[in-house]
Structures are given as structure tokens and as C-alpha cells.
Amino acid sequence: MTRYLARRLGQALLVVAGVVTLTFVIMRLVPGDPAVAYAGPKATPEQLAAAREQFGLERPLHVQLWNYARDLVTGDWGVSLRTRRPVMEDLANAFPATLELVGAALVVAILVGVPVGVLAARHKRRLPDLSVRLGSMLAVSVPVFWLALTLQLVFATHLGWFPVAGEYDTTLDTTSPLTLWTNITIVDALITGNWPIFTSTAEHLVLPALVVAAYPAGVIAQLTRAALIEESGQDHVRLERAMGFGETAILTRFALRPALNPVLSLIALVFAYSLVNGFLVEAVFNWPGLGRYAFNAITSADTPGIAGVTVLVAVVYVLANLVVDLLQGVVDPRARAR
């Protein structure tokens, strides 16, 4: 297990190093001068020179790359050209809301996708299986912005069941101020017993979480079904049938655990996809996360902010893959030999 962990850590570090290098190169290829964007179009030559010195733009490229990587490791991710605050501070304020949305969506996707996949495998080529395959295909293929607007129109505008946008009712900041611990609103509200904000956040979270969860739920259901059907043909399943176990018991007690191995790998991929796909959902639902920050950074040519979002998403993706690899090693010891 130690060698398996060391190998996975080495691979993760290589991926992060590649992303950092690629991000640096793209930042240097983007048209425009960061010093001009920071100092302003009416800046004097002295102010431009000071800005270029502040960002280290006068140094050789290999020195700039080294300093950039070193600063990332030490927590200095640069200064946003738009907000004039440290990028790390901006990301720390925006990322918890995105993590709240994506985390809730993945919980929904797993709770729906795995049981539905088991149901489809149990009734292969029958009506439940066909219904699950059709539903998962629609969930995977439907455009996320169309689904978001449709849910808003039906459940928020016409039925009035859920709020149309925002993270929670901001008037509660006056009547029920929230004490922050993790900066994840629904978690902090639960920890501190702030039930008005907890209820409001949960209501605001339903529609965007369902939109983000649609694609992962469909993919997880399809893969769970396929993995269980493949596992059902293994020798140990034939033995369990011969011993008199029913099909449902075989699928849930014996075949599901080894079948979850590819599903765990998929969860890391759909987590990264949901993290980026959630940017559009955040824009539709006015959710105060990384999506809104990235949009503002792009429209204002804030290269440090754009680079910060890119590196953060890459690091989170690598960490998610690493966690999944470790879970695979625990669930299926055969994975450690790969």
C-alpha cells in the first residue's frame, strides 16, 4: 500500500507541474501587457516600470517560471488585476460556494445513479432497464443551460416551489447573521444551528444542484449497470447462484463491491467535469462561486485571476483522482498491483 501511495503521489505531482507550466505559457501568450492592465491605460512610464518590476516581467522566462511555481507552492498566487486583492484571497472567498454546489450535486448523483444502475442490471433488457437507459441518455445529452432555464421556469417562476437565484435570502444577514467556520454556508449554518439560513440555503441549492447532478447521475447509472452485468458473468457469481442466492442478493452483496471500482474512477472525472460545468450553472442561478469569479476575470483580462482558477481546478481534480485511487486500493486490492 505504501508503494502504491508513493506511485500515485508521484503521478499527481507530475500532472500538477505540467498544468502549472502550461498555465504560465498561456499567460505569456495572451495578448496584452499585465503591467498596463494593472497600472491603467493612463499610467506613466514610471508606474508601468514599477508594475513590471512587481510582476517580475523583466526577468528571463525560465526565472519567471521558477518564481511562479515557487510562489504557488508558498501560497502567493499573485494579485488580481481586477479586484487588486491577492488571488488566493479571492479564490478562498469564491471556492466554498462552488464546492457546496458541486458537493451537493455529486451526493445526489451517487444516491440516484448507483441504485438506478443496480435496478437496470437486475432487470436487464426489461422495462426498468430500458427506462433507466433512456433516462440516463437524456440526462447525459441535455444541454446544461437549457435544463437550468427549464427548471427555473417551471419550479421557480410558475410553481414557486424554489427560489430562482442566489445562494440564500440575503435579508437574513440582518435578522440571522451567520458565523463562518468553513465558509461553506450550509455547513456553517448547520454547525452553528442557524436554521433560517440553513433552510434558505437548502431551498436555493435544490435547482442548481439538480442541474449539475444530471450528467454525473446519468453516467454513473450507465457505468454501474455495465459493471454489474459484466461482474454477473464471473465465476464467483455462478458459484453464488449455485449456492441458492437470489439475483438481488448477488448483485448487492457480492457483485456490487468489485463493480464499484470503475465507478470510483469515474467519480473523480465527473467531479472535475461538474466543477467546470458548474460555472455555467452558477451564471444562470447567480451562484456566488468560481464561475462568477472566472467570468469577471475573463471579461476584464485578469490573467492572474484566470490562472488562479485554472490551477485551483487542476489541483482539485488531481486530489480527487488521488483520493479515488486510494479508495480503489482499499476496496479492491488488485488495483494496487496496477
Side-chain angles (χ1 to χ4, degrees):
M1 190 66 184
T2 302
R3 290 194 300 270
Y4 175 76
L5 175 60
R7 188 167 63 250
R8 290 294 185 263
L9 281 174
Q11 294 171 353
L13 291 176
L14 285 176
V15 172
V16 172
V19 170
V20 169
T21 304
L22 184 61
T23 303
F24 173 82
V25 171
I26 293 175
M27 286 173 60
R28 293 299 177 263
L29 292 177
V30 171
D33 189 343
V36 175
Y38 182 78
K42 297 182 180 180
T44 63
E46 291 77 13
Q47 291 172 329
L48 287 176
R52 294 183 67 82
E53 177 65 25
Q54 177 181 349
F55 289 107
L57 300 176
E58 301 292 347
R59 300 172 185 174
L61 284 178
H62 68 278
V63 176
Q64 293 184 42
L65 175 59
W66 170 257
N67 292 338
Y68 177 65
R70 181 197 61 196
D71 291 342
L72 288 177
V73 172
T74 58
D76 181 6
W77 288 31
V79 177
S80 169
L81 304 180
R82 182 180 62 87
T83 65
R84 305 301 175 93
R85 293 193 303 264
V87 172
M88 180 66 82
E89 180 181 330
D90 288 342
L91 296 178
N93 291 329
F95 182 63
T98 296
L99 189 62
E100 179 181 50
L101 174 59
V102 174
L106 280 185
V107 169
V108 172
I110 294 170
L111 292 180
V112 172
V114 173
V116 164
V118 174
L119 176 67
R122 174 66 180 84
H123 302 279
K124 184 175 63 173
R125 296 193 183 94
R126 285 183 279 179
L127 182 60
D129 182 27
L130 296 177
S131 301
V132 168
R133 291 166 67 183
L134 177 61
S136 61
M137 189 180 304
L138 290 174
V140 169
S141 58
V142 65
V144 64
F145 66 88
W146 182 88
L147 181 60
L149 293 174
T150 300
L151 291 185
Q152 276 187 335
L153 182 64
V154 174
F155 294 102
T157 304
H158 287 297
L159 297 178
W161 290 357
F162 301 102
V164 69
E167 187 179 14
Y168 62 91
D169 185 356
T170 54
T171 60
L172 294 174
D173 289 334
T174 302
T175 59
S176 303
L178 178 64
T179 302
L180 298 178
W181 293 85
T182 65
N183 284 330
I184 301 177
T185 303
I186 197 167
V187 174
D188 291 338
L190 182 62
I191 292 174
T192 59
N194 193 328
W195 303 118
I197 287 188
F198 177 85
T199 303
S200 179
T201 305
E203 292 174 348
H204 283 76
L205 192 59
V206 170
L207 294 184
L210 288 177
V211 175
V212 177
Y215 178 88
V219 175
I220 289 173
Q222 290 179 354
L223 186 58
T224 302
R225 172 190 177 276
L228 280 173
I229 291 175
E230 180 180 355
E231 194 68 26
S232 297
Q234 301 297 320
D235 292 338
H236 71 90
V237 173
R238 297 191 186 95
L239 176 61
E240 288 144 10
R241 287 196 184 99
M243 294 174 63
F245 288 100
E247 287 297 319
T248 302
I250 291 174
L251 287 176
T252 56
R253 292 178 57 185
F254 303 108
L256 184 59
R257 181 173 176 177
L260 284 179
N261 197 24
V263 176
L264 287 175
S265 299
L266 177 70
I267 289 175
L269 295 175
V270 297
F271 176 78
Y273 176 85
S274 301
L275 197 64
V276 178
N277 198 38
F279 287 6
L280 184 58
V281 178
E282 289 181 9
V284 175
F285 286 95
N286 194 28
W287 193 264
L290 281 180
R292 189 164 69 182
Y293 180 78
F295 174 79
N296 292 332
I298 292 171
T299 54
S300 59
D302 181 7
T303 50
I306 298 170
V309 173
T310 304
V311 173
L312 177 61
V313 171
V315 170
V316 171
Y317 172 71
V318 168
L319 289 177
N321 270 283
L322 185 60
V323 170
V324 168
D325 286 341
L326 296 179
L327 289 176
Q328 283 182 320
V330 173
V331 173
D332 187 0
R334 295 174 298 179
R336 305 174 198 169
R338 294 200 295 266

